[in-house]
């Protein structure tokens, strides 16, 4: 969607790639449209998401420049900075549902979806 290329093989370890991909994915999605019943709390959360997305999207050209220059060290540094933004974005997204039960359900669903457990790991 952004016209980005994958990093060359060996430039990033698996956890860094996962965190980078997650953050870029969350940052590309526009916030949900204002809905009936939207309130100041919801609107302020959307504003926070816009700021987070702006920071992430502002780093994408640096990431692409490092890849184009063949600078693995710079690429890793920018990828790590982008990935670090995911925690804040995820925390804000979890707060979007208006009611406490909805937030709890959504947070659990999101945590499960973002679990870094190996798909082949034994269930616990």
């Amino acid at each position: 969607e952004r016209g980005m290329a994958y990093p060359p093989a060996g430039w990033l370890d698996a956890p860094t790639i996962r965190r980078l991909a997650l953050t870029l994915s969350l940052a590309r999605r526009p916030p949900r449209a204002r809905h009936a019943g939207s309130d100041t709390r919801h609107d302020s959360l959307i504003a926070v998401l816009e700021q987070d997305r702006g920071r992430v999207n502002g780093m994408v050209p640096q990431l692409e420049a490092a890849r184009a220059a063949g600078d693995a060290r710079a690429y890793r540094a920018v990828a790590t900075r982008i990935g670090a933004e995911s925690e804040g974005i995820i925390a804000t997204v979890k707060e979007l549902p208006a009611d406490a039960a909805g937030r709890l359900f959504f947070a659990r669903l999101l945590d499960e979806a973002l679990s870094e457990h190996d798909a082949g790991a034994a269930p616990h």
Side-chain angles (χ1 to χ4, degrees), residues 18-19 22 90 94 107-119 121 124:
R18 275 194 306 271
R19 188 63 61 180
L22 169 65
I90 291 166
K94 286 179 179 180
R108 286 182 178 168
L109 185 66
L110 191 54
D111 287 342
E112 183 63 29
L114 298 174
S115 174
E116 293 185 1
H117 295 297
D118 291 337
H124 54 275

Side-chain angles (χ1 to χ4, degrees), residues 92-104:
T92 302
V93 167
K94 286 179 179 180
E95 290 298 313
L96 282 174
D99 62 292
R103 283 192 301 275
L104 179 61

Side-chain angles (χ1 to χ4, degrees), residues 23-70:
T23 306
L24 290 171
S25 179
L26 291 171
R28 76 173 162 73
R29 294 184 184 156
R32 294 188 312 209
R34 184 181 173 114
H35 61 282
S38 179
D39 59 15
T40 304
R41 178 188 157 283
H42 183 268
D43 292 344
S44 66
L45 289 169
I46 294 298
V48 168
L49 282 175
E50 283 297 322
Q51 291 173 351
D52 292 342
R53 288 180 174 122
R55 276 192 309 279
V56 168
N57 290 330
M59 289 186 269
V60 169
Q62 298 168 25
L63 187 70
E64 279 300 287
R67 185 195 54 75

